[in-house]
Amino acid sequence: MFNIRKMGDWMWNENNQFNTRDLIYFIGYRIAKKNYNMSLDKKAAIKEMIELDYNNESQIEKFVNNAGYFSDTLENLYQKFEAKRPMVTAIKQFKNDSQTVSSKTTEITLVFSKKMDIRIKSSGFGELGKEHFPTLIGVNFSKDGLSIPYKITLKPNKRYQILLENGCRTEDEIPLNPFLIDFKTAE
C-alpha cells in the first residue's frame, strides 16, 4: 500500500495479490461500506463521507482507521513498511559528510542492509544539482546485490552529492530508503 512503485498494480491492472483490476477503488468502496454499516445514523455516515476533506491527511487517516478495514492503523502499517525498507549502511571509502575525501578516490562503494535487485539502478542529483554530481565512469551492483561501487573521477576542493533514490529496491520490490551521499574533496 505504501510502495509507490507498486501503485500501478493497485490502480490499473490485475498484478496484485487479489487479482482485481482497480483495486484501490475497490478498497475505498469497502472502507466506505464498512463505515456506513457500523454507523447507527446512516444519514450522518453518508454526510460525513460527502463532506470529508479529502485533502486533509489526518481526517482521511481517522476515517480509514475508524472503519477497521485494515489489520492495524495506517500509522502502524506504515511503520511496519518502513522497517522492511533496505537502507545504505555504509560508504566503504569514507564517512558520509566527510570534508577531506581525497580527490584521487576513484570508487565509492555503498553497502546495503538487504540484497538489492541488481537490474535496477537509480541515482540522481542532490539539492546542489548536476554541477555537484561526480563524473561517473560506471556503476554496477556486486553479484551478491549487497553493495554497489560507483566508478568516478573527482576534482580537488569540491563538494559532491549523489542521491540514491527509492527506485533502487530489493528483489521483492521494497524500495530503498533514499540516501544522500554528501562529501567534499580536500585541496
Side-chain angles (χ1 to χ4, degrees), residues 5 88 108 110 112 115-125 133 136-143 145-151 162-171 174-176 178-179:
R5 296 202 61 76
V88 174
I108 299 173
L110 305 172
F112 299 99
K115 183 178 181 188
M116 303 299 287
D117 184 338
I118 63 173
R119 299 170 301 162
I120 314 277
K121 298 174 212 78
S122 180
S123 25
F125 308 129
F133 193 85
L136 191 59
I137 311 290
V139 58
N140 280 306
F141 275 98
S142 60
K143 287 184 182 185
L146 291 171
S147 65
I148 188 166
Y150 283 74
K151 306 278 189 211
I162 303 172
L163 177 63
L164 253 72
E165 301 166 314
N166 61 14
C168 292
R169 58 185 181 259
T170 61
E171 289 178 323
I174 298 173
L176 177 73
F179 183 80

Side-chain angles (χ1 to χ4, degrees), residues 153-169:
T153 57
L154 303 173
K155 294 179 180 173
N157 198 30
K158 183 168 180 180
R159 185 171 171 199
Y160 289 99
Q161 291 182 329
I162 303 172
L163 177 63
L164 253 72
E165 301 166 314
N166 61 14
C168 292
R169 58 185 181 259

Side-chain angles (χ1 to χ4, degrees), residues 2 11 22 29 42 44 49-50 61 64-65 68 73 76 85 100 113 116-117 120 126 130 133 139 148 165 167 174 177:
F2 301 107
M11 289 290 291
D22 301 326
Y29 157 75
K42 304 301 185 196
M49 287 185 271
I50 291 171
E61 187 171 332
V64 170
N65 288 339
T73 66
N76 288 343
R85 289 179 80 173
T100 57
S113 61
M116 303 299 287
D117 184 338
I120 314 277
K130 184 178 181 178
F133 193 85
V139 58
I148 188 166
E165 301 166 314
I174 298 173
N177 224 333

Side-chain angles (χ1 to χ4, degrees), residues 75-152:
E75 178 62 27
N76 288 343
L77 291 171
Y78 180 72
Q79 293 303 324
K80 289 174 187 175
F81 170 73
E82 284 296 312
K84 287 182 182 178
R85 289 179 80 173
M87 62 177 110
V88 174
T89 58
I91 301 171
K92 284 189 178 178
Q93 290 76 9
F94 54 85
K95 290 195 182 297
N96 204 16
D97 298 319
S98 177
Q99 301 297 300
T100 57
V101 174
S102 170
S103 60
K104 294 180 180 165
T105 301
T106 59
E107 186 172 285
I108 299 173
T109 306
L110 305 172
V111 180
F112 299 99
S113 61
K114 297 180 180 179
K115 183 178 181 188
M116 303 299 287
D117 184 338
I118 63 173
R119 299 170 301 162
I120 314 277
K121 298 174 212 78
S122 180
S123 25
F125 308 129
E127 62 205 23
L128 298 178
K130 184 178 181 178
E131 306 79 44
H132 294 273
F133 193 85
T135 302
L136 191 59
I137 311 290
V139 58
N140 280 306
F141 275 98
S142 60
K143 287 184 182 185
D144 64 8
L146 291 171
S147 65
I148 188 166
Y150 283 74
K151 306 278 189 211
I152 44 108

